[in-house]
Amino acid sequence: MLASPATLRHLLLPAPPHLAFGTPNPAPPLHAWLPISRLAPPRVAHASSRRPRRRDARARAVAAAGEEAAAPAEEASSSGPTKFSVKIPVGDRHILVETGQIGRQASASVMVTDGETIVYCSVCMADTPSDPSDFFPMSVHYQERLSAAGRTSGGFFKREGRAKDHEVLVCRLIDRPLRPTMPKGFYYETQILSWVFSYDGIHSPDCMAVTAAGIAMALSEVPNKQTIAGVRIGMINDQFVVNPTTEQMEDSELDLMMAGTDSAILMIEGFCDFLTEEKLLQAVETGQEAIREICKAIDVLVKTCGKKKMVEAINLPPPELYRHVEDISGDELVKALQIKQKIPRRKTLSALEEKVITILSEQGYVSKDESSGPIENLADIVEEEDEDEIIEDGEVDEGDVHIKPVSRKPHRQLFSEVDVKLVFKEVSSKYLRRRIVEGGKRSDGRSPCELRPINSQCRLLPRAHGSALFTRGETQALAVVTLGDYQMAQRIDTLVDTEESKSFYLQYTFPPSSVGEVGRTGAPNRREIGHGMLAERALEPILPSEKDFPYTIRVESTITESNGSSSMASVCGGCLALQDAGVPIKFPVAGIAMGLVLDTQEFGGDGTPLILSDITGSEDASGDMDFKVAGNEHGISAFQMDIKVVGITLAVMEQALRQARDGRKHILNEMSKCSPPPAKALSPYAPVIHIMKVKPNKVSLIIGSGGRTIKSIIEETGVYGIDARDDGTVKITARDIESLEKSKTIIANLTMVPKVGEIFRNCEIKTIAPYGAFVEIAPGREGLCHISELSSSWLAKAEDAYKVGDRIDVKLIEINDKGQLRLSCKALLPDANQEPGSNKQQASGPTKEKIVYKDDIIKVTTRRSRRKKEGEPSAAENATSKTLENSTAENAEGFGFTRQLDGKETG
């Protein structure tokens, strides 16, 4: 008697622990010799039938990995952790890669060392798969520990918390090249953790983190397609340098971060000082050679200690589902993709998707062949009247067998809703590509090289210092510029123990309303931080130096509509808003996003890659590339490229760069037609900034004890702020000219260098002592008028002639070695017979007859910033370059440009 598979499976279950007997060499269970097909349940084509199968695949992979790792684990337990290391040449030095000693419970972990900078990276996976989706469930976290540089946080919280903007940008650099290498159908959640454990201040950890993540992923069980690595490329004296040091980067004209495989490029990002397309391609080629060598060394390490890939865990939708989706939605899909407006097209596609899901996952799909009706077999249509009737002697009565037509019940196929959604998206992308390649027209009717209509206008917001609205097709950005003093600068907390600040920054906001949706608002997400930094890097090279324009500049870009290329719209809108705020930029810049259909032969083309200019959101999602390029018609200032396929070649990148240059020329021409045009003058609501120079040893007099003097000046005059630096530079930021003049006069009096013989009028008596009176000749500057110098006649007490608060005229008659002033009131009396107290004055401010001290030529020393420093050449076409010479007797001229106040022009 044969047992059924279910009964056999029940009999083969292991015995309970209390009934199991220990044997020296236990025999393997019976089901070890049985084929898996005998034990596995039959597959049912339904949504719930796929998840257990994926869990079984994971279990089998873990079991196989455990069997393979059993022997090494035993060796490690007796002789310590097995450590593998390799030195990889990168540029003019080597990096050290170590694995097997730290983080052994992770799927893979590595330590990468360059100099004394050490980056640790680990890769882990969940035990069970997530629900299938069109987005690989991978998260990346990068953190720079302050302890790596021997520091700790200066705030109340001593523990690292929320990721800084710089760390978020590095997370994106790690994520973007890894994601295209992940296979479709792998749904195990994967987490990459990267920490900087040591930092020497010389070797940057960000490019090391990209390579470390690529090595850890290659060593892990994740079935990624290819090994990746990352490098930084700088250009110093027209020579390209691989992974330059921080000191070398200060002189570099290029900052290029790139990642790729041994044969293709996956990601590039960076900024430069308007390099040509040819120079950028040469830099990418240099980086590709370095990446190729790193990938070869990684492959050798993977063969030595890499884990078996979980290829069997990949779970793709059934192949026939693609054909069924096309049969149901093909004609309607073609019509939907011809709708030009984004929202109507999206709603039509959503309705069509729901229809396909309903048919394939609820009602069941009947193929056209089955519905046409093939004849069923004889066993299905032959029916016997009486099965119990006994036929004797082998005789058959022909009347007992009847043939009657039976209504055919077609077989209905059901599929998982998630699978249907995934396949519908792929089919939609396929139809969109075919429309572009075969018909030469995109969804909105444009040709591959054609740009969307452009419109721009300035002066939208009357109280803002500068504003512009840039519209390109269905993408729209509102850019606002705010000018301020040093207090508005953005502070940067880095691993280096120095305070840094940025006098220019751009903040990008992408609300859900820009795409007609409801969503979360609040703190910026990683995408907003990344897009904002890209636009900031594109605009920074065109700004004047802080000497020529000593303002802190903040640009806010709010995306009010979005259908692709919103970051590049921020570049265009930000450039117009800067001009509207009166910032003397060197020249305008613009940005454009390029797309790609790599394999055109599959969609009816000749196989040549097709480059798309000014891509929309659907072309970004369905295409193979998103390449953003910003600059002017002569060069590039910032760039960012993401690839959806496993890499592109330099030839494709060269074609995209040349087509992007033509697009920038067109956009700049349209921006010049802005109506109303930028004001190109300071707003009357912008603050006034004046810079003056004092003796360095007089700075303490301006600040005062505990900052009391400088605070009192701000309160008395109403200026926004006063920045006094150790080198004698004093920057005053005021709301108007009147308050600026008041503060400038007080500072000039405080820092003046008095000389013997100077006369000071209308000075207040601050204190009376038995030996004389202390008189304030300038705010914060007092001198002693001895009792013998108060009057030409003899006085028993100073109170007999004066009291505190009286104002008198005095003359400086002596300055001792300690810098103390000796004053005389008697020296100004016309004759010796004049009565004491006749020298009293009306209450007003102190003055002096002769001003000796004169301010030096202004020479501004600025804090560290990526904007142009003093002495650097400027190519500004509309900037002014005037030498600023200020003195206490002259009007505040600021920095050589005019503005309107109350209808009057002031210098």
Side-chain angles (χ1 to χ4, degrees):
M1 178 178 179
L2 295 177
S4 66
T7 306
L8 184 61
R9 194 161 48 247
H10 173 72
L11 294 174
L12 295 177
L13 290 176
H18 64 282
L19 297 179
F21 295 92
T23 58
N25 295 306
L30 180 60
H31 63 272
W33 286 290
L34 292 176
I36 296 178
S37 59
R38 293 286 303 275
L39 300 179
R43 181 180 178 185
V44 181
H46 197 270
S48 61
S49 66
R50 299 187 60 206
R51 235 182 127 82
R53 185 169 67 84
R54 289 198 304 273
R55 287 197 180 98
D56 292 342
R58 169 65 172 172
R60 291 195 301 272
V62 171
E67 292 173 1
E68 292 182 359
E74 291 177 358
E75 293 179 4
S77 62
S78 59
S79 60
T82 304
K83 180 179 177 181
F84 300 91
S85 62
V86 61
K87 286 188 176 181
I88 302 176
V90 179
D92 58 353
R93 57 186 184 273
H94 289 74
I95 61 173
L96 176 64
V97 178
E98 299 171 292
T99 185
Q101 183 181 19
I102 300 178
R104 291 172 295 161
Q105 296 189 32
S107 180
S109 62
V110 295
M111 297 274 283
V112 179
T113 304
D114 187 3
E116 293 183 346
T117 298
I118 299 177
V119 175
Y120 170 79
C121 184
S122 64
V123 174
C124 284
M125 289 186 302
D127 293 333
T128 57
S130 305
D131 292 331
S133 67
D134 59 345
F135 193 76
F136 177 61
M138 181 177 70
S139 60
V140 180
H141 301 273
Y142 169 87
Q143 188 177 68
E144 295 178 346
R145 300 284 180 88
L146 293 177
S147 58
R151 295 181 55 210
T152 187
S153 174
F156 179 79
F157 298 100
K158 300 300 180 183
R159 185 171 183 168
E160 288 83 356
R162 176 184 171 185
K164 306 178 183 68
D165 286 0
H166 169 69
E167 294 171 334
V168 171
L169 295 174
V170 177
C171 289
R172 287 171 55 84
L173 291 176
I174 297 173
D175 183 284
R176 285 157 43 205
L178 283 174
R179 197 167 291 278
T181 66
M182 298 302 159
K184 294 181 180 179
F186 187 75
Y187 302 118
Y188 288 87
E189 183 178 358
T190 304
Q191 186 180 52
I192 300 174
L193 301 178
S194 184
W195 293 290
V196 180
F197 280 162
S198 178
Y199 179 58
D200 57 9
I202 300 174
H203 305 95
S204 298
D206 48 3
C207 53
M208 295 171 55
V210 178
T211 299
I215 298 174
M217 190 66 74
L219 293 172
S220 71
E221 301 163 301
V222 180
N224 58 321
K225 300 174 185 176
Q226 287 182 290
T227 303
I228 74 155
V231 295
R232 166 180 269 114
I233 303 297
M235 191 178 76
I236 305 168
N237 298 326
D238 209 30
Q239 298 294 323
F240 297 112
V241 181
V242 179
N243 280 6
T245 63
T246 53
E247 183 179 355
Q248 290 175 320
M249 282 304 299
E250 293 180 359
D251 301 324
S252 177
E253 301 177 42
L254 169 69
D255 188 354
L256 166 63
M257 282 287 298
M258 62 177 295
T261 66
D262 58 354
S263 59
I265 305 164
L266 287 172
M267 181 273 296
I268 67 171
E269 180 172 343
F271 56 96
C272 52
D273 193 7
F274 292 96
L275 292 184
T276 62
E277 286 77 6
E278 291 75 18
K279 279 290 184 184
L280 182 58
L281 285 171
Q282 294 175 15
V284 173
E285 186 175 4
T286 302
Q288 180 62 30
E289 294 175 0
I291 290 174
R292 185 180 298 112
E293 297 301 320
I294 298 175
C295 290
K296 289 180 180 178
I298 296 174
D299 291 338
V300 174
L301 181 64
V302 171
K303 291 179 181 178
T304 304
C305 57
K307 295 184 178 180
K308 182 181 177 181
K309 297 296 183 180
M310 293 175 53
V311 180
E312 63 275 9
I314 298 175
N315 192 13
L316 296 172
E320 66 272 13
L321 182 56
Y322 291 85
R323 185 177 67 256
H324 299 337
V325 171
E326 290 187 17
D327 291 342
I328 298 172
S329 63
D331 296 336
E332 296 181 62
L333 195 56
V334 171
K335 296 178 181 178
L337 292 176
Q338 295 176 358
I339 301 175
K340 295 185 177 181
Q341 286 76 24
K342 174 184 176 180
I343 299 298
R345 181 172 64 249
R346 185 182 69 187
K347 291 182 178 180
T348 304
L349 289 174
S350 297
L352 181 57
E353 182 183 24
E354 289 298 324
K355 173 185 174 182
V356 174
I357 293 173
T358 301
I359 295 175
L360 292 176
S361 63
E362 296 179 9
Q363 300 176 0
Y365 177 75
V366 180
S367 65
K368 296 178 180 179
D369 295 337
E370 292 185 16
S371 61
S372 61
I375 300 176
E376 297 182 15
N377 57 43
L378 187 63
D380 295 332
I381 62 177
V382 174
E383 179 179 301
E384 297 184 6
E385 269 190 359
D386 190 0
E387 295 180 355
D388 297 332
E389 182 178 356
I390 300 175
I391 303 175
E392 297 179 354
D393 299 329
E395 298 179 356
V396 178
D397 186 359
E398 294 181 357
D400 293 337
V401 179
H402 303 279
I403 299 177
K404 76 173 185 177
V406 178
S407 60
R408 179 182 179 274
K409 295 181 179 180
H411 175 63
R412 294 183 178 272
Q413 293 179 296
L414 293 175
F415 298 90
S416 164
E417 179 179 345
V418 176
D419 282 346
V420 176
K421 287 184 177 181
L422 294 175
V423 172
F424 182 81
K425 181 177 180 180
E426 292 188 35
V427 171
S428 300
S429 174
K430 176 182 177 181
Y431 274 62
L432 178 63
R433 291 163 177 252
R434 180 177 296 137
R435 170 179 167 81
I436 296 174
V437 175
E438 287 184 352
K441 294 292 182 180
R442 294 146 78 172
S443 293
D444 53 7
R446 290 181 293 145
S447 64
C449 297
E450 189 177 353
L451 276 66
R452 290 173 287 179
I454 295 174
N455 178 47
S456 54
Q457 57 186 84
C458 293
R459 310 183 201 176
L460 273 78
L461 310 176
R463 299 290 295 194
H465 299 164
S467 60
L469 182 68
F470 180 83
T471 306
R472 177 165 50 197
E474 292 180 302
T475 298
Q476 189 178 75
L478 176 63
V480 180
V481 172
T482 305
L483 305 177
D485 62 350
Y486 70 99
Q487 295 178 341
M488 204 178 81
Q490 185 179 32
R491 295 183 180 179
I492 305 174
D493 189 12
T494 62
L495 286 174
V496 184
D497 192 12
T498 57
E499 288 190 5
E500 295 185 19
S501 60
K502 289 167 51 176
S503 59
F504 169 70
Y505 49 95
L506 187 146
Q507 295 170 336
Y508 169 98
T509 305
F510 190 91
S513 60
S514 63
V515 290
E517 297 178 354
V518 177
R520 182 192 69 88
T521 60
N525 56 37
R526 292 187 173 187
R527 178 181 178 276
E528 290 175 314
I529 293 174
H531 281 30
M533 179 56 65
L534 176 62
E536 177 183 314
R537 289 170 171 173
L539 292 172
E540 193 165 22
I542 67 173
L543 297 177
S545 66
E546 290 190 38
K547 173 185 175 182
D548 297 330
F549 196 77
Y551 282 98
T552 295
I553 306 171
R554 178 194 182 197
V555 180
E556 298 172 84
S557 178
T558 303
I559 306 303
T560 52
E561 288 185 45
S562 178
N563 188 14
S565 307
S566 59
S567 61
M568 296 296 95
S570 299
V571 174
C572 301
C575 178
L576 292 172
L578 287 171
Q579 297 178 71
D580 190 52
V583 179
I585 64 172
K586 300 174 183 178
F587 33 73
V589 293
I592 187 172
M594 312 298 293
L596 171 69
V597 178
L598 186 61
D599 186 7
T600 56
Q601 190 170 5
E602 180 184 354
F603 307 104
D606 57 359
T608 304
L610 181 62
I611 306 295
L612 307 177
S613 296
D614 186 23
I615 58 175
T616 61
S618 60
E619 293 166 345
D620 183 7
S622 302
D624 297 325
M625 179 182 74
D626 181 13
F627 192 5
K628 304 178 180 70
V629 188
N632 62 3
E633 62 271 20
H634 303 297
I636 299 171
S637 61
F639 47 87
Q640 182 185 92
M641 182 181 72
D642 294 323
I643 300 298
K644 315 292 178 63
V645 292
V646 189
I648 63 170
T649 61
L650 283 172
V652 175
M653 187 176 172
E654 180 180 6
Q655 182 184 352
L657 284 172
R658 291 179 177 174
Q659 195 165 318
R661 179 174 56 190
D662 296 336
R664 293 198 308 273
K665 290 180 181 179
H666 173 78
I667 297 171
L668 288 170
N669 182 55
E670 294 297 317
M671 289 171 59
S672 64
K673 303 174 184 178
C674 177
S675 178
K680 296 186 179 181
L682 279 179
S683 166
Y685 304 108
V688 183
I689 293 182
H690 175 75
I691 300 176
M692 58 190 301
K693 191 78 173 178
V694 301
K695 299 293 183 182
N697 58 354
K698 302 295 182 182
V699 173
S700 59
L701 297 175
I702 301 175
I703 298 175
S705 177
R708 293 178 183 175
T709 305
I710 197 169
K711 291 178 182 177
S712 64
I713 298 174
I714 294 174
E715 292 177 0
E716 180 181 348
T717 61
V719 296
Y720 290 137
I722 300 173
D723 181 20
R725 302 178 185 174
D726 294 338
D727 63 346
T729 301
V730 180
K731 181 188 291 187
I732 308 171
T733 306
R735 62 169 56 92
D736 51 33
I737 294 294
E738 183 180 357
S739 59
L740 176 69
E741 289 292 343
K742 288 181 181 179
S743 61
K744 192 174 70 169
T745 302
I746 294 176
I747 293 174
N749 291 332
L750 278 174
T751 58
M752 70 176 181
V753 182
K755 290 189 176 182
V756 175
E758 282 188 317
I759 298 173
F760 301 90
R761 305 286 185 184
N762 200 28
C763 301
E764 181 181 0
I765 297 177
K766 290 293 187 179
T767 309
I768 293 181
Y771 49 83
F774 288 92
V775 182
E776 185 182 54
I777 62 173
R781 297 297 303 275
E782 296 182 3
L784 173 63
C785 187
H786 194 265
I787 191 171
S788 62
E789 297 294 335
L790 284 174
S791 174
S792 57
S793 59
W794 182 83
L795 291 176
K797 296 185 297 183
E799 292 89 338
D800 294 342
Y802 301 99
K803 64 180 182 296
V804 175
D806 288 347
R807 293 183 175 273
I808 59 176
D809 297 338
V810 293
K811 181 178 181 180
L812 180 60
I813 59 176
E814 183 184 352
I815 303 176
N816 62 16
D817 296 339
K818 297 180 180 181
Q820 296 173 336
L821 308 180
R822 184 183 176 190
L823 307 174
S824 174
C825 181
K826 183 174 64 174
L828 298 179
L829 297 177
D831 54 63
N833 295 327
Q834 186 169 347
E835 291 294 331
S838 61
N839 201 24
K840 294 181 181 181
Q841 303 292 331
Q842 297 293 327
S844 64
T847 61
K848 61 180 180 179
E849 290 186 350
K850 181 181 180 182
I851 298 176
V852 177
Y853 179 71
K854 205 171 183 61
D855 290 342
D856 297 331
I857 302 296
I858 287 184
K859 182 179 180 182
V860 183
T861 303
T862 60
R863 60 193 169 279
R864 183 177 179 183
S865 172
R866 283 166 48 212
R867 285 172 61 185
K868 291 292 185 181
K869 305 296 188 298
E870 178 193 0
E872 295 184 6
S874 174
E877 297 176 351
N878 55 351
T880 57
S881 56
K882 298 184 179 180
T883 303
L884 311 179
E885 183 175 0
N886 300 290
S887 67
T888 56
E890 296 173 346
N891 291 331
E893 292 184 348
F895 29 80
F897 53 84
T898 61
R899 53 172 281 184
Q900 296 290 331
L901 285 176
D902 299 330
K904 297 180 180 180
E905 188 179 81
T906 61

